[in-house]
Amino acid sequence: SLQTFRKQLLRESCAADRGAFSEGKQVINNLMNKDLNHLLVDDKHGIIYCFIPKVACTNWKRFMFILKQGEPYKDLMSIPHNLVHNSNQLIRLSSFPKPEQKARLKYYTKFLFVRDPFVRLISAYRDKFQKNNKYFYQYFGRNILRRYGGKPDPPQSADEAYALNLRPSFYNFIQYLLDPQTERNEPFEPHWRQMYRLCHPCLIQYDFVGQQETLQDDAEQLLQILQLENDIKFPPSYENMTSPDSVLDWYRTVPLEARGKLYKLYEADFRLFGYRKPNALLDESSVLGS
């Protein structure tokens, strides 16, 4: 089955390159609480979900939220977006003492959902930089404009920048990701941090690996495994899924050499989760050329 294949691939890739994919942490004991920030727990059903921003995570957080509230289960879509992104509504694995973390990791059903890494970056850019987002402008956008967008003194406020139609370009965002300075003081923001660094799939043995590209089928199968298929319906995804053609259009604005470096930066995610290397974007002789 698809699940067998995905989990097998994960195990083989992890075994082949243990050190690279576990960030030097060889055993689960070495994971600090901050490494477990993305793992949400439901004790009643014995479930752990590792959420990855820009991979249907709002709906899966809604799912964890209604499980926590208990039966009769509410409709997922009745839970407001901001409620599930408010961190104290959901229980994090990191809130338990070490021995209890280990027991849960051992016995609970653990799942995550992943997505093509290059498409996820487009989604993060569109969501955080194309829209008027105060937090992301203040902490990231303004700096990116200053450093890579040729704007020595961008407006202080997101509203002003938005009114002037000043946003970092997609290429500016990629330049920011490729700049070694970016991670000097703290790791990538989770919306663009590599998926394996959020969920540690070489240290944590996931029971189910879903993909955004097969979200409906995977969600259905997961609900069956959890024996919740009669109680909870996973909503269809309306996020304008980025088509392969438009992926080429987005990356057209990024020079060939930078695309190659970007692939290197996210290569672990491509390999671990079975996403094909995007040769059309990386090959001199392809449609995009340089």
Side-chain angles (χ1 to χ4, degrees), residues 87-101:
S87 54
N88 28 5
Q89 293 297 337
L90 295 164
I91 295 162
R92 291 175 190 260
L93 184 65
S94 54
S95 64
F96 296 97
K98 219 30 170 180
E100 292 193 31
Q101 291 175 4

Side-chain angles (χ1 to χ4, degrees), residues 83 94 102 124 130 132 140 193 203 223:
L83 187 62
S94 54
K102 282 186 76 172
Q130 276 198 326
N132 183 354
F140 304 98
R193 195 177 312 164
L203 295 174
L223 289 171

Side-chain angles (χ1 to χ4, degrees), residues 130-276:
Q130 276 198 326
K131 297 177 184 164
N132 183 354
N133 184 310
K134 290 185 177 37
Y135 173 83
F136 277 86
Y137 179 75
Q138 210 172 336
Y139 288 98
F140 304 98
R142 195 164 179 269
N143 261 340
I144 292 175
L145 279 170
R146 210 178 12 226
R147 239 191 258 164
Y148 318 101
K151 300 275 178 286
D153 190 23
Q156 290 295 331
S157 81
D159 289 340
E160 264 178 283
Y162 200 73
L164 292 168
N165 209 3
L166 262 189
R167 309 181 181 65
S169 67
F170 184 59
Y171 176 41
N172 292 158
F173 172 54
I174 301 303
Q175 288 172 288
Y176 163 78
L177 296 177
L178 294 176
D179 187 339
Q181 286 294 335
T182 299
E183 285 210 282
R184 192 143 291 175
N185 298 322
E186 50 182 4
F188 277 167
E189 203 283 333
H191 284 81
W192 44 85
R193 195 177 312 164
Q194 291 89 335
M195 298 184 286
Y196 82 97
R197 291 173 63 194
L198 294 171
C199 294
H200 317 288
C202 290
L203 295 174
I204 294 170
Q205 281 226 327
Y206 286 93
D207 303 287
F208 190 92
V209 182
Q211 293 192 348
Q212 174 96 14
E213 292 77 9
T214 47
L215 179 60
Q216 287 323 119
D217 292 347
D218 290 351
E220 213 170 292
Q221 193 187 350
L222 178 62
L223 289 171
Q224 282 169 358
I225 293 170
L226 300 172
Q227 300 184 334
L228 290 165
E229 75 274 19
N230 298 324
D231 305 308
I232 296 176
K233 289 284 166 268
F234 196 81
S237 163
Y238 296 115
E239 196 204 343
N240 13 11
M241 295 294 269
T242 318
S243 73
D245 292 344
S246 72
V247 174
L248 294 179
D249 289 335
W250 279 97
Y251 282 96
R252 224 171 230 130
T253 62
V254 178
L256 183 68
E257 189 189 356
R259 297 196 294 255
K261 289 181 175 157
L262 191 69
Y263 176 72
K264 277 271 167 279
L265 193 59
Y266 288 88
E267 183 176 15
D269 279 348
F270 278 98
R271 285 174 45 197
L272 289 167
F273 300 117
Y275 287 102
R276 281 221 289 283

Side-chain angles (χ1 to χ4, degrees), residues 19-83:
F21 298 147
S22 45
E23 298 194 273
K25 298 180 167 126
Q26 296 309 316
V27 284
I28 203 112
N29 280 352
N30 297 356
L31 287 174
M32 325 274 272
N33 276 342
K34 66 173 171 35
D35 296 320
L36 302 174
N37 256 344
H38 281 249
L39 294 153
L40 303 176
V41 178
D42 182 81
D43 278 336
K44 190 171 160 220
H45 301 81
I47 296 172
I48 291 177
Y49 162 50
C50 183
F51 69 92
I52 295 177
K54 306 313 311 160
V55 192
C57 93
T58 303
N59 282 341
W60 286 113
K61 283 180 172 179
R62 284 178 169 132
F63 168 73
M64 296 299 280
F65 184 82
I66 62 172
L67 288 187
K68 179 181 161 214
Q69 292 203 306
E71 302 179 62
Y73 299 116
K74 291 197 174 69
D75 174 20
L76 248 64
M77 296 319 275
S78 70
I79 309 298
H81 182 278
N82 51 351
L83 187 62

